[in-house]
Amino acid sequence: MSIKLPTHAQVVVIGGGVVGCSTAYHLTKLGWKDVVLLERKALTSGTTWAAAGLVGQLWASSALTKLAKYGTELYSRLEAETGQTTGFVRSGSVRVARTEARKSEYDRAVGMARAFGVEIEEISLEKAREIFPPMQTDDVVAAYYQPNDGHTSPVDTARAMAKGAQMGGASIFEGVKVTGVALKNNAVHQVNTDQGNIACEYVVNCAGMWGRGIGKKVGVSIPLHAAEHMHITTTAIEGVYHDMPVLRDMDGYIYFKQEGEGLLMGGFEPTAKPWGMQGIPEAFEFTELAEDWDQFELFMENAIQRCPAMEHAGIMHFTVVPESFTPDNKYMLGEAPGVKNFFVAAGMNSVGIASAAGAGKAISEWIVEGHPSEDLWEVDIRRFHRWQSNSRYLQDRITETVGFLYADHWPFKQPETARPVRCSPLHHQLKQRGACFGVLAGWERANWFALKGVEAKYEYSWGRQNWFEFAAVEHMAVRDSVGVYDLTSMAKFQCQGKDAEDFLQRVCANDVDVPIGKVVYTQLLNQRGGIEADLTVTRLAGDTFFIVTAGATEVRDFDWLSRHIPIDSHVVLTNVTSAYAMLGVMGPKSRDLLSTLTNANLSNDAFPFATAQHIDIAYARPLVLRMSYVGELGWELYVPSEFASGVFDALMAEGEKFDLRLVGLHAVDSLRLEKGYRHWGSDITPDDTPFEAGLGFAVKLNKGDFIGREALLSQQESGLTRKLVMFTLEDPQPLLYHDEPIYRNGELASSVTHGAYAHMLGCAMGMGYIENPEGISSEWILSGKYEIDVEGKLIPAKAYLKAPYDPSNKRVRM
């Protein structure tokens, strides 16, 4: 049957699942009426219809928790607003811990929850059995209760949002297949369908497991892959009652929800089954897959252990459906890199019902306002690279990432599948010397080095892991002698052209109109003055600049810079990341070591701090920057990849005379934190200005106009109300990771942005923003009494406005 589509729309939303319906609904709530939603079959017929409908509030970060909390608020009022039932029940939830390690995770989660505004408390096992009667707790260490969690009917909830969208002016069309998305000047221009074409200004890809294919139509990488997800519903079980709380037993990989007089039970297994490797059948609609009792056996064994009545309960239905998962088990939001006005909200990793309301709200704000209301880097699509749509990589990785949701969320937990992918030219040399690798954006990076006779393998815990003492030695080697680390994963761009300086002056907060050979530390800001990137710009020639930024933000930063190049400018931006290895040679003996390998003058007069030169080192001639991210005298060597192995061998051979030690990135992190250096994505984000972050020294308001200048001038005039503060724990034993609550004078004041162990200081250290709506001053900050919550214990902490280590910056200028 032919459907008459409009010929134009402001926004076309592709996909009629719960996320697509939420996106259309929230766009209309922001006043956009010309919204069209297209669904290939019937609304909710992809994966939404078969979801368990759990709505939990507490996630691993403040931003994601706020989005999930919003979902419970919206779902509770949708029926009254639209007249469409949702089935939402605020039943609460119970989670149990079988191990002390899981209890430590949950104890930390309780502190995080308080900081995030989520109610959760540890309860007795007796209380847990009382509110979830079918449960036995003989093997349970602890139980926790969240009163505001709930569950909802996925289909009814999606249809309520669809109805709300239509009430707001949106048009919804079922039975329309998208066949293409046309671009004009690299921006969305038209959506092509089997029922006609729609000219449009924006596209939102909410196509779920079809999303990867939609992305391919415009050359956008959307790395997601389907895997089988399964759950059963049982006949009546004694003790089950209406609106009984949801139960999560993550150590058993399972969850339970009241379903009629019985239970719905499903889970997330450690080794999952990818699906759809040969494509998704055209006729797929409300489709169930074949039952697999072998795959389900693990769930059933654990379910019987947790709820013994499951052993004799009848199975009313065994549901097996495919759902889309991403390589890191976090969903994708945002404007896709490289294409203007093509947005993505997909890859929900089986938390689509809980997250759909917040995701739809966030992506709508992103479209209408130009940015989300809160930093969402954790789920930003720009964290992924084009290569991550590789089908074999996705198939191999998805076997593991399905289980990430319920696995122990250890600090520094590394994936095991689909590795290695991206390797430094020094990978094998580092491995031979005891490197234990972690992975970031596909890069294999040496996180720590095992001594001879010790296996280079993580042993995870919430306390001091097996690498702690090795990293301490590496840390102190940089402080006392010299260390070498491989940071080839750093992203490197070349910006050149006759207008390159003007362009960089426009996007950088610092002044890049500097002599050739000068290195400029700067931030890229948004119009609100928030920090979009944190990087260095080195002038190599009058019209050529070398930009270095974090490996994790390679795609994001390149895209951000590219989008801000004026159309009529003579500027060429090139990603040269793979062309260079990067070696950091750091420590008080670094000058002595490098002097044995070069005839260049490395003195302060000849090679000052924050300058760069091409110099001979061994048989190579790398670009060498005198910069430091660890707070010591040192140089960064950018070595053409084919020369890297020889330079490394030369450093190792000469380094024996200077007590050289190879250094992993755990030590680099503790060194930088001890020195008070910020890290983008944790300590500084698009919601933080340089003035708030203590980076005002890198801002030159008098250089002329630049993005964010007006916002900074306004903030300078009105004064600050928040500021980033450093803290050390007075007890040397507890460890800080992130999001631990900070208390000032007994009241919750903030949370830790990032923590590590400061080995030189002999204690854990972290950063956090302290706020005072009446205005903030150094005196006010330092007058407070501070404590930080670590697993439910308040640990006294000392506040610093300058780095506790080398606050006068003498050591980097030795």
Side-chain angles (χ1 to χ4, degrees), residues 74 88 168 516 700:
L74 176 64
F88 176 74
I516 293 171
K700 298 296 183 288

Side-chain angles (χ1 to χ4, degrees), residues 16 18 45 146 231 241 288 318 354 362 492 502 505 517 558 567 601 640 671 678 722-723:
V18 68
S45 65
Q146 293 176 244
H231 55 72
Y241 60 91
E288 295 189 52
F318 186 0
K492 312 157 198 93
D502 291 341
Q505 285 289 70
F558 189 85
I567 294 176
N601 186 343
L671 286 159
R678 281 60 166 155
R722 63 193 297 268
K723 197 165 187 178

